[in-house]
Every structure is written in structure tokens, then in C-alpha cells.
């Protein structure tokens, strides 16, 4: 056993070294900073009117996305007492690796100019979105794969996620700036498929024990994670919808959806769980789902009450899913969803895609005004009808589900089988984040102990 642990550590260290050296070499050959942010002449292929906006206008949103990735996602997966601190560290590792790999993959398809990958604030935000999909998938398999396996998962998922985004946004012309399909739905069902392939019946009992061993840890991390979600989640969803000549409706709709989903949690939780006040983890789930449903529809909704209705409904649906559908996932479909990504990301992403399809049918110049060209440029130009756009929005949903499940299945089969087997059980170490308190022993008395006289034995009874 010690020899196996030492070999695993060396294999993990060596893999990180090789991947980072490879990334450095690829960046040296292919990657250059965007000419939009440089003081020199601007190439005619680029829109030079955005030169003053790229470094200044997007930087606060770019920072919000990074905070969301590291703090919010890191805290949301750090609730298991057995894997908590290690999970937060792995999230940082996966984020650091995935951002570098996504810059290369997405740059080849979206930001390739004169034989080089152009890197700026927009390309970094796009890489962050792809990284978010990987972190969502990680939540489905948390505690059952090693760091080496997570690196391999990130390597393949970033590649497939980039191809999926290129097909939807460039080839099909789908409007999904907030990532209902490209981030939430793809990441959730990719991870769920990996979890299904890795399922082993004799490990199921141990996983149920780990799911029950959350208690105080989960409540503490849920409080902090929910606060960060309230602060940064709307910025994350609306980063790619910001336009200098239009009001950012995605931020406002995200907030309206968020508050309505929170209220619906207080309505349904006492009925389902017989508790007078919902637990913080339930509010955390409602916060995640409320903004995930706004990924596609956030910039399409024309009135605040539409966002309130969407948030209220998704807040009810996810808690019904946790109460009734999650047990079916475990018992019938043999899917172990550690962090509940199906209810917090997958299902809201599907609902957001359906809502986006419905709103696409209303995309006319009278209803959308000048925003029609920003949200549906092909419809505004007359090259596509409203019905055709709605059909493309709807067709993107089954295509996303197909690519996500197929990609998750291929990801497990590509590496050698022993490397993608579930982790063996390990003893739970004491959590350094929650120190173990021990009462001090009573002081010793300076006086010798007084002997206690014992009564002489009585006559024996016959």
C-alpha cells in the first residue's frame, strides 16, 4: 500500500509537469496578445471600435467570472468531510489547467488571426465559461475519481465543449450567451454520464454514507457559497451579453429570477421536508438554478415579471427533483450525483433552453426593437425567419444532450481502464479546517490519595 501511494504521487506530479511544459511550448508558438488592446495599427479583420472597451469595459466582469470560478465553485464542492479540503484544492488545479487548455482550444476556432491565437479579455472570458462546464462535471463525480483522472477528464471535456460551442454558436446560429446549454446542460450531463459509467454496485453503500456525512461542514460552506453566488452569479451570466449601446437586461433578469427562486424555496421546503425554515444548502441550490435558467433567456426577456415567473417555477421544480427524482437516479439509473448537478445545473439548463425557444418565437422588430440585431442578428438581417430561429434554438437541446452523454462515455473509455476506476475507500482524516477540541485533563492533587476503607466480608450464605 505505501508503494502504491508513492507511485500515485509520482505519476500525478509527472503528469502535471508534462502537461504544463506542453502548454508553455504551445503558448510560445501559437498565442499572442490581441491587437485590439495594443497601441499600434489595428488589423482590418478586427473591430477597432472596441479597442477602448476591451481592457477597461470587460475587466470588472472578467474579474467577477474568476471570483465565481474559484471561490463559489470551490466552496460549493468542499462540503464532504472526507474530501472537503482536498476537493477545494483540486478545483483550483482543474481551473488553472482548464483555462490554459481552453485558451488554446477556443482560440483555434474563435480567435485565430494570421496564424496566431489572439488573447484578450473576451477570449479569457470564453475560456472561463468552458472551465465552468468542467467544474460542473467535476461536481457529479466528486470523491470517486483521483486528481489524475480529473486532469484527464478536463483535457477531453474542454476539447469537446469547445467543439460543441462552435457547432451551436457559429454553425447553427443559436443565441446562448449565458450558457444554459453550452455551460450548464453540457457540463451537468457530461459529468452524469461519467458517473454512470463509473458506477459499481459494491461501492454504493459507502457513497450513501458519504452523502449523509455532511452536517455542519455543508451548512458552513453553503452560507459563504450562497453569499458569493448572490454577489457574482448575475455578472457571470451576463458577461458575454454586455453591449456598449444597450441596457444589460441579463443582469436584471438574473436578479429577478434569483429572488423569486429564493422565495419559492421557503414555500416548498416546509412542505417537502417538514422544516419550518429551509436549510442554507437548499437556498444555495435555488440560487444556482435560478441563474442557470437565465443563461439563454436572460437577454431575451422583455419584462421583469417574466424573470420572476421563471425563477419561481425553477425554484419549485429543483426541490421536487431533489425530493423525488434524485432517488430514482440512484436506484434505477445507477447514477451517483455527488453535488446534485442534475437539479442545480442540468434541469435548469434544459428549462432555460425551452424558455429561450419560446421567446425566440416573439423575436420581432416591434417587440425587441434595436436589441433584435444584438440577440438575433440573422433574424434582423432577414436571412432567417423567426420560426427558423426558434427551431434552431430547440434543436440545440437534443444535440447538446447527445454530445454531452456521448462525450462523457468516450472520456471514460479513452484512458486505460485501471486509471478510470473508482477510488478505494480511505480512512477519513481529521479536517484541518475544523480543529478538534479536547477538554483539558483535571489538575493532579498535591496530596496523596486517601485509602477508602472496605467493609469486612460478611458470613457466606449457605
Amino acid at each position: 500500500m505505501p508503494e502504491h501511494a508513492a507511485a500515485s504521487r509520482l505519476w500525478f506530479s509527472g503528469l502535471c509537469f508534462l502537461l504544463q511544459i506542453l502548454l508553455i511550448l504551445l503558448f510560445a508558438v501559437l498565442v499572442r496578445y490581441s491587437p485590439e488592446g495594443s497601441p499600434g495599427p489595428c488589423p482590418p479583420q478586427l473591430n477597432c471600435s472596441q479597442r477602448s472597451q476591451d481592457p477597461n469595459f470587460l475587466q470588472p466582469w472578467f474579474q467577477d467570472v474568476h471570483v465565481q470560478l474559484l471561490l463559489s465553485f470551490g466552496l460549493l464542492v468542499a462540503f464532504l468531510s472526507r474530501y472537503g479540503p482536498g476537493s477545494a484544492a483540486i478545483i483550483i488545479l482543474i481551473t488553472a489547467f482548464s483555462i490554459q487548455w481552453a485558451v488554446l482550444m477556443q482560440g483555434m476556432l474563435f480567435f485565430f488571426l494570421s496564424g496566431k491565437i489572439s488573447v484578450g479579455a473576451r477570449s479569457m472570458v470564453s475560456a472561463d465559461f468552458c472551465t465552468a462546464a468542467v467544474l460542473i462535471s467535476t461536481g457529479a463525480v466528486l470523491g470517486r475519481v483521483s486528481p489524475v483522472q480529473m486532469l484527464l477528464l478536463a483535457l477531453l471535456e474542454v476539447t469537446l465543449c469547445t467543439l460543441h460551442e462552435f457547432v451551436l454558436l457559429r454553425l447553427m446560429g443559436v443565441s446562448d450567451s449565458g450558457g444554459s446549454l453550452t455551460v450548464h446542460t453540457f457540463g451537468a450531463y457530461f459529468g452524469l454520464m461519467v458517473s454512470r459509467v463509473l458506477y459499481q454496485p459494491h461501492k454504493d453503500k459507502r457513497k450513501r454514507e458519504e452523502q449523509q456525512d455532511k452536517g455542519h461542514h455543508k451548512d458552513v460552506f453553503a452560507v459563504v457559497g450562497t453569499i458569493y453566488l448572490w454577489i457574482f452569479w448575475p455578472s457571470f451570466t451576463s458577461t458575454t451579453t454586455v453591449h456598449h449601446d444597450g441596457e444589460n437586461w441579463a443582469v436584471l433578469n438574473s436578479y429577478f429570477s434569483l429572488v423569486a427562486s429564493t422565495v419559492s424555496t421557503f414555500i416548498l421546503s416546509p412542505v417537502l421536508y417538514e422544516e419550518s425554515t429551509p436549510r442554507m444548502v437548499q437556498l444555495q441550490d435555488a440560487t444556482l438554478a435560478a441563474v442557470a435558467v437565465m443563461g439563454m433567456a436572460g437577454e431575451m426577456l422583455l419584462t421583469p415579471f417574466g424573470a420572476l415567473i421563471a425563477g419561481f417555477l425553477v425554484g419549485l421544480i429543483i426541490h421536487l427533483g431533489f425530493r423525488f427524482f434524485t432517488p430514482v437516479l440512484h436506484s434505477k439509473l445507477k447514477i451517483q450525483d455527488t453535488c446534485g448537478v442534475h437539479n442545480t445545473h442540468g434541469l435548469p439548463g434544459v428549462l432555460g433552453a425551452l424558455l429561450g425557444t419560446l421567446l425566440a418565437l416573439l423575436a420581432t422588430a416591434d417587440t425587441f426593437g434595436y436589441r433584435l440585431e444584438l440577440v438575433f442578428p440573422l433574424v434582423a438581417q432577414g436571412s432567417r425567419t423567426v420560426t427558423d430561429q426558434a427551431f434552431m434554438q430547440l434543436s440545440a437541446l437534443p444535440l447538446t444532450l447527445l454530445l454531452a452523454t456521448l462525450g462523457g462515455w468516450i472520456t471514460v473509455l479513452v484512458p486505460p481502464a485501471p486509471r478510470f476506476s473508482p477510488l478505494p475507500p480511505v480512512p477519513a482524516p481529521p479536517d484541518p479546517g475544523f480543529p478538534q477540541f479536547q477538554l483539558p485533563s483535571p489538575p493532579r492533587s498535591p496530596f496523596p490519595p486517601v485509602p477508602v476503607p472496605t467493609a469486612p466480608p460478611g458470613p457466606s450464605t449457605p
Side-chain angles (χ1 to χ4, degrees):
M1 189 65 180
E3 293 80 3
H4 177 71
S8 300
R9 289 194 300 268
L10 291 177
W11 167 249
F12 174 62
S13 178
L15 180 62
C16 290
F17 176 79
L18 292 177
L19 290 176
Q20 187 59 50
I21 293 298
L22 177 62
L23 290 172
I24 291 174
L25 294 176
L26 292 175
F27 267 72
V29 175
L30 297 175
V31 180
R32 298 293 183 270
Y33 285 118
S34 173
E36 292 180 2
S38 63
C42 183
Q45 298 92 332
L46 298 177
N47 184 6
C48 297
S49 63
Q50 296 181 356
R51 171 176 290 188
S52 61
Q53 296 176 11
D54 188 66
N56 299 322
F57 189 62
L58 273 181
Q59 185 175 1
W61 305 86
F62 173 58
Q63 294 173 349
D64 289 351
V65 172
H66 270 300
V67 173
Q68 177 71 19
L69 286 178
L70 293 174
L71 267 178
S72 299
F73 279 103
L75 290 171
L76 293 178
V77 302
F79 58 84
L80 289 178
S81 61
R82 178 174 297 194
Y83 301 104
S87 299
I90 293 301
I91 287 298
I92 296 177
L93 170 66
I94 297 302
T95 302
F97 171 74
S98 298
I99 287 177
Q100 298 178 80
W101 186 239
V103 167
L104 294 171
M105 292 293 99
Q106 298 222 332
M108 296 296 294
L109 296 179
F110 296 99
F111 305 99
F112 202 71
L113 177 65
S114 300
K116 301 293 181 181
I117 296 174
S118 179
V119 173
R122 295 184 183 277
S123 61
M124 289 299 295
V125 168
S126 181
D128 284 342
F129 269 58
C130 189
T131 301
V134 177
L135 297 181
I136 292 172
S137 301
T138 303
V141 297
L142 180 66
R144 294 184 290 116
V145 293
S146 68
V148 172
Q149 297 163 2
M150 286 192 177
L151 280 176
L152 297 176
L153 184 147
L155 179 69
L156 295 174
E157 184 174 1
V158 166
T159 305
L160 296 174
C161 181
T162 303
L163 293 175
H164 166 254
E165 185 175 346
F166 181 79
V167 171
L168 262 62
L169 303 186
R170 290 294 178 89
L171 300 184
M172 299 178 61
V174 174
S175 177
D176 187 26
S177 57
S180 282
L181 290 177
T182 57
V183 176
H184 298 282
T185 305
F186 183 86
Y189 289 101
F190 187 99
L192 290 173
M193 189 61 186
V194 173
S195 178
R196 175 62 184 90
V197 178
L198 293 179
Y199 175 78
Q200 289 188 359
H202 64 278
K203 304 288 185 178
D204 187 48
K205 181 180 179 180
R206 180 171 64 89
K207 296 305 160 190
R208 287 198 302 267
E209 294 173 353
E210 290 177 1
Q211 291 291 329
Q212 297 170 357
D213 187 21
K214 298 174 183 177
H216 180 63
H217 297 74
K218 186 169 186 178
D219 292 335
V220 171
F221 286 120
V223 171
V224 183
T226 303
I227 293 174
Y228 276 105
L229 287 173
W230 269 77
I231 298 173
F232 296 108
W233 221 187
S235 297
F236 180 90
T237 303
S238 59
T239 299
T240 57
T241 65
V242 176
H243 300 281
H244 66 283
D245 59 345
E247 183 182 2
N248 190 10
W249 290 359
V251 174
L252 301 177
N253 286 326
S254 298
Y255 273 116
F256 284 124
S257 175
L258 193 153
V259 296
S261 178
T262 301
V263 174
S264 67
T265 302
F266 281 86
I267 296 174
L268 193 58
S269 180
V271 178
L272 295 178
Y273 303 101
E274 299 180 356
E275 297 176 351
S276 58
T277 303
R279 292 179 289 114
M280 278 303 302
V281 66
Q282 297 168 2
L283 297 177
Q284 167 190 289
D285 296 334
T287 305
L288 285 168
V291 187
V293 76
M294 286 289 107
M296 180 181 290
E299 62 178 355
M300 302 180 190
L301 285 169
L302 305 176
T303 56
F305 85 91
L308 290 174
I309 294 175
F312 180 77
L313 292 178
V314 78
L316 299 177
I317 291 173
I318 64 162
H319 294 299
L320 291 174
F322 273 111
R323 184 67 175 85
F324 299 106
F325 189 68
T326 298
V328 176
L329 274 179
H330 294 167
S331 60
K332 303 298 182 182
L333 302 181
K334 311 301 180 184
I335 297 176
Q336 300 165 352
D337 187 4
T338 306
C339 297
V341 299
H342 176 263
N343 296 305
T344 56
H345 295 281
L347 189 57
V350 172
L351 296 176
L354 297 177
L355 178 59
T357 301
L358 177 62
L359 293 173
L361 292 173
L362 306 175
T364 62
D366 295 333
T367 56
F368 272 63
Y370 70 94
R371 292 186 63 85
L372 181 63
E373 185 177 358
L374 301 176
V375 180
F376 299 113
L378 297 178
V379 176
Q381 297 168 6
S383 58
R384 179 178 291 179
T385 64
V386 173
T387 306
D388 293 338
Q389 183 65 44
F391 177 76
M392 286 296 179
Q393 299 286 134
L394 182 61
S395 301
L397 176 58
L399 180 60
T400 299
L401 297 176
L402 176 62
L403 293 178
T405 53
L406 184 62
W409 179 70
I410 294 176
T411 299
V412 180
L413 297 183
V414 167
R419 294 185 186 176
F420 251 89
S421 57
L423 290 175
V426 294
D431 192 344
F434 295 88
Q436 304 293 326
F437 295 98
Q438 184 177 2
L439 294 176
S441 57
R444 297 182 60 185
S445 174
F447 303 101
V450 179
V452 180
T454 58
S460 59
T461 56

